[in-house]
Amino acid sequence: MPATGMAGRAFYTTFPLRGSKVARMERIGRRYRTTRAAKDYDAIVIGSGIGGLTCAALLSKLGRKVCVLEQHYTAGGFTHSYEREGFEWDVGVHYIGEVHKPNSQMRRLFDVITDGQLEWAPMDPCYDRIIIGGRRYDFVAGRDNFVAEMKKHFPQESAAIDRYMELVMKVGSAMPRFFAGQAMPAPLARAYRVVRDYLVPREMLRSTREVLESLTQNQELIGVLTGQWGDYGLPPSQASFLIHAVLVRHYLSGGNYPVGGSWKMAATILPVIRAGGGEVFTYAKVRQLLVEDGRCVGVVMDNGDQLRAPRVISSAGARLTFGQLLPEAERARHGYAEKLSHVRASFASLTLFLGFNASATELKLPKTNLWIYPTPDHDGNLARYVKDPEAPFPLVYVSFPSAKDPEWDRHYPGKSTVQVITGALYEWFEKWSGTTWQQRGSGYETFKERFTQRLLAELYQQMPQLEGRLAFAELATPLSTEWFHLYDRGEIYGLAHDAERFRQRWLHPVTPVKGLHLTGQDIVTAGVGGALMGGMLTTSSMLSLRDLRKLWKVIAEWKAPAAAVAAPVPELA
C-alpha cells in the first residue's frame, strides 16, 4: 500500500495552486464532455472509488471497454488526496494490512489492477496505540506480539485473550465462505445462502460486545480489544463480530501506506483501464439510471446526455443507487423502499487536516496511529456525545501521513501533516445542508471552530511538541462528505456494519434489474480492502464460466513486468 518509485509519476505535473507555491498532482481522470464519450462501451461504472476502479480494471484486463463516471473533480473516491496551502493529505486511506505479503490475495489483486505500479511502505511495528484515560496499550505487528502485549497488561485474563484470538482467526478464516455467494450468479447465490449459515461460525452475526462478554467481564480489556472500532464506525454493542474480527485479523501482521500518497491508487489503475480502450471521466455526475423494458441499458447524465452499455455497475452505494438513481417505478417494482428500511447509514465524521512547517523527523512524528478514548465504555461514551456534542469525544483518531510516506520529504521538504478524526451526527450540520462548499456563512464557521480547537487540544495533549508549530488547519464536516462523495448523511463507511446489514440477501452484486450490478463496500465490508474485494466479487458474478476462468488465470499468473514502462501523459481536462 511494488515497482519503481517513479511509477505513476507521469500522471502528475506541477502547476500553481491558490495559496501555495506549487502543487505536484494533476487531477486524475479526464473531464467529461459530451463529445469525449464513446458510443460503444461494454460497461459503465458509476463512481471511481476503489470498488468501481477494481471492477473496471479487471474487466479491462478481459478485453472490455469500460467507462467510469465520477462526479468529483478527481477520481479515486475516498482514496484521493488533496492539496491546500502547500500541504497534501489523503482523505480516507490511513493504513492497509496484508499488502506487504507478496502472495496475499489483497496484494496480488492490487498488483493486477495496477500492473505492479503501486508500492507500499510499512508502518512502525506498533501500528495502533490505544489510549484510554491516559493509559496506553500498543498493538504490535505479529499475532504472538499482539497476544504478548495484551497479556502483559492483563495477566489475569490470559485464557480470555487466547480464546479471543482463536475466535478472531476462526471468524476471519470463514470470511471466504460467508461471502462466496457474492461471486455467484443470483440463482446460485440464493441456493448457497440456504446452507451458508451452517458453514460459518455463529459468532459472526452476534454483536461484538456480546461475544467479548462471553469471554470476559473485564471492561478495560474489552475497551482495549475494541479500540479500533472507529475503523468500522460502530461501538461494540452495535457492531457485528464479523466486521470486528475481519478488521483485527487484517491488521495483525502490521499496517502499510501507499508510497507517494493514497492518490497513487487511482493513478496507477487508470492506465490499465485506458489500455482496454476505456476512460475515467470526472465532473461526470449521473442523474439517473436508464431503464427500458425492465433492463438497465445505460445512464442519464446531469446535463441530459445518455450513455449506453449492456452492463452498468454502481459503485455509488446501495442507498444512493436504489434510493435515488434507480427510477421510481423500478424502485417500487422491486420493493426497494422496504429493503432499504432494513439498513442504515454508517456514522458520519469530522476530519481536521493540519499542516506544520517542520519535517516529521524534526517534530518526532511516529508511523503509529493513535486511538484516544475518555473511558473504556465506548457505547456509553458515544451515547453521551450523541446526546450532547459538548460531551467528551467518544474517540479521537490521529494519523501522521507525512511520516508514513517515504517519498514525502522529496516533495514537501520541511513540512509535515497530521489528521485528527472523530465522529459526528449529520443532524448537527443539517441546517447548512444545500449550501455551497466554502460559502456556508459565519455561523457554520464558528460552529466548526469549536470542534477544531477541541480536537487540537486532544492532539497537543498527546504530542505537546506540536503546540505553537501549526501552519494550517481545515476541518471537514459531514457536509464535506456529502458535497464531494454524495453520501447524504455524511457517512464514510456506506451501510452500518451491524448484524442486520449482513443478513440482507438483496445486497448482492447482481440486482433484480437486468443489466444493473452493485459493487464497493456495501456488498462486502467497509474500507479499501473490503471495497477492493467487492470489485473482484462483482466482476466474478458478471462473467460466464469461460471468462471467469480467464479472470482467475489473470490473477493467479500475474508477474511483475521485467521493467517499468512509463505510461503516456493523459490529456488535460
Side-chain angles (χ1 to χ4, degrees):
M1 10 157 85
T4 65
M6 291 301 292
R9 290 290 296 155
F11 291 91
Y12 296 87
T13 58
T14 57
F15 66 97
L17 186 71
R18 179 171 60 94
S20 67
K21 293 181 179 179
V22 110
R24 70 185 179 115
M25 298 191 304
E26 180 186 315
R27 293 171 180 177
I28 304 168
R30 190 181 188 199
R31 186 164 185 155
Y32 178 79
R33 293 282 189 270
T34 300
T35 56
R36 291 178 175 177
K39 298 181 180 180
D40 58 346
Y41 293 110
D42 296 308
I44 293 172
V45 176
I46 304 171
S48 68
I50 195 66
L53 290 179
T54 298
C55 195
L58 292 176
L59 289 172
S60 298
K61 288 279 187 178
L62 295 175
R64 288 359 183 236
K65 184 177 179 180
V66 185
C67 171
V68 180
L69 302 172
E70 171 56 56
Q71 64 94 30
H72 197 0
Y73 61 68
T74 188
F78 283 111
T79 72
H80 87 270
S81 303
Y82 86 100
E83 288 189 297
R84 190 90 76 241
E85 304 294 337
F87 296 94
E88 176 191 319
W89 298 267
D90 56 66
V91 300
V93 178
H94 307 299
Y95 61 147
I96 297 180
E98 300 181 17
V99 290
H100 58 290
K101 302 175 183 178
N103 293 317
S104 71
Q105 186 179 35
M106 191 166 295
R107 170 60 177 272
R108 180 163 288 273
L109 189 51
F110 264 121
D111 283 348
V112 168
I113 64 176
T114 67
D115 277 340
Q117 300 298 292
L118 184 61
E119 296 181 284
W120 304 94
M123 292 168 57
D124 290 338
C126 172
Y127 52 92
D128 277 333
R129 175 166 293 141
I130 312 301
I131 304 170
I132 299 177
R135 302 176 296 281
R136 299 187 172 196
Y137 305 90
D138 287 350
F139 285 9
V140 182
R143 176 177 173 176
D144 292 343
N145 292 331
F146 179 91
V147 170
E149 279 292 315
M150 293 301 99
K151 289 183 178 181
K152 180 177 73 175
H153 292 287
F154 302 96
Q156 306 301 318
E157 299 290 339
S158 179
I161 292 168
D162 286 338
R163 178 59 181 147
Y164 166 77
M165 190 52 57
E166 290 171 5
L167 276 177
V168 164
M169 302 307 290
K170 179 182 177 182
V171 169
S173 298
M175 291 295 286
R177 297 194 297 277
F178 188 87
F179 287 112
Q182 303 296 70
M184 301 175 185
L188 188 57
R190 285 193 292 270
Y192 178 76
R193 285 293 295 265
V194 174
V195 300
R196 186 194 68 182
D197 290 347
Y198 298 100
L199 302 177
V200 299
R202 68 180 186 278
E203 290 89 355
M204 296 184 90
L205 296 184
R206 296 168 63 190
S207 78
T208 300
R209 176 164 292 283
E210 182 183 3
V211 171
L212 291 187
E213 288 190 340
S214 73
L215 305 177
T216 179
Q217 290 301 305
N218 188 317
Q219 296 304 311
E220 181 87 4
L221 175 58
I222 291 174
V224 173
L225 295 178
T226 55
Q228 297 164 304
W229 73 265
D231 274 336
Y232 46 79
L234 283 180
S237 68
Q238 299 181 45
S240 66
F241 191 68
L242 180 159
I243 186 60
H244 175 79
V246 73
L247 185 283
V248 172
R249 190 172 187 263
H250 177 70
Y251 289 118
L252 264 183
S253 60
N256 307 272
Y257 191 77
V259 175
S262 63
W263 56 266
K264 286 291 189 77
M265 294 184 185
T268 51
I269 296 172
L270 178 60
V272 173
I273 297 170
R274 285 181 170 162
E279 185 57 273
V280 176
F281 287 111
T282 56
Y283 292 101
K285 187 175 182 180
V286 172
R287 181 195 303 166
Q288 194 171 64
L289 293 164
L290 185 61
V291 181
E292 296 176 353
D293 298 324
R295 183 178 187 89
C296 187
V297 296
V299 298
V300 180
M301 304 298 291
D302 208 35
N303 69 351
D305 289 352
Q306 290 188 5
L307 301 183
R308 291 175 174 262
R311 301 290 186 109
V312 176
I313 303 115
S314 178
S315 185
R319 294 177 65 252
L320 177 59
T321 301
F322 303 124
Q324 296 183 43
L325 296 182
L326 191 65
E328 189 172 351
E330 292 298 317
R331 284 181 242 164
R333 177 184 173 191
H334 296 290
Y336 275 113
E338 194 276 333
K339 291 174 179 175
L340 288 168
S341 70
H342 292 280
V343 294
R344 57 192 171 107
S346 60
F347 206 45
S349 66
L350 298 170
T351 300
L352 183 59
F353 299 97
L354 302 174
F356 296 86
N357 284 328
S359 69
T361 300
E362 182 182 351
L363 293 175
K364 297 183 173 62
L365 301 183
K367 299 176 185 178
T368 300
N369 304 315
L370 306 183
W371 295 91
I372 307 163
Y373 302 98
T375 79
D377 179 13
H378 302 312
D379 292 285
N381 295 335
L382 181 59
R384 287 184 285 273
Y385 181 63
V386 165
K387 186 177 180 180
D388 178 11
E390 298 297 331
F393 291 123
L395 71 84
V396 174
Y397 172 81
V398 185
S399 176
F400 307 94
S402 59
K404 298 174 187 176
D405 180 9
E407 282 192 356
W408 176 269
D409 288 339
R410 179 150 59 93
H411 301 293
Y412 300 99
K415 294 178 179 289
S416 58
T417 54
V418 177
Q419 287 166 268
V420 188
I421 304 173
T422 192
L425 288 187
Y426 180 84
E427 288 80 0
W428 297 343
F429 300 87
E430 195 162 16
K431 65 181 177 181
W432 293 287
S433 179
T435 57
T436 302
W437 177 61
Q438 291 192 330
Q439 299 177 33
R440 297 192 169 114
S442 59
Y444 177 73
E445 296 301 327
T446 299
F447 190 51
K448 283 174 54 176
E449 183 63 17
R450 286 158 52 191
F451 286 106
T452 295
Q453 293 304 318
R454 290 176 60 198
L455 289 170
L456 282 172
E458 294 280 355
L459 173 66
Y460 294 151
Q461 185 174 356
Q462 303 300 326
M463 311 288 290
Q465 73 272 26
L466 299 182
E467 195 161 6
R469 309 295 295 272
L470 184 63
F472 177 83
E474 181 173 64
L475 183 72
T477 74
L479 297 187
S480 309
T481 304
E482 180 183 29
W483 179 267
F484 289 112
H485 301 282
L486 299 184
Y487 283 111
D488 65 346
R489 306 309 292 173
E491 68 272 26
I492 59 175
Y493 292 142
L495 300 177
H497 288 69
D498 53 19
E500 185 68 9
R501 171 251 178 90
F502 292 110
R503 294 190 181 103
Q504 303 307 305
R505 299 189 178 191
W506 59 275
L507 286 174
H508 188 274
V510 182
T511 79
V513 182
K514 294 179 180 179
L516 177 63
H517 305 265
L518 185 67
T519 197
Q521 61 185 356
D522 284 352
I523 65 164
V524 186
T525 63
V528 171
L532 178 83
M533 302 312 293
M536 183 184 71
L537 293 173
T538 297
T539 306
S540 299
S541 71
M542 296 168 58
L543 300 176
S544 66
L545 184 58
R546 179 182 177 183
D547 281 340
L548 187 58
R549 287 172 179 162
K550 287 182 182 179
L551 175 63
W552 285 112
K553 186 176 182 180
V554 166
I555 295 173
E557 297 182 0
W558 185 88
K559 293 182 180 179
V565 179
V569 177
E571 298 178 54
L572 294 177

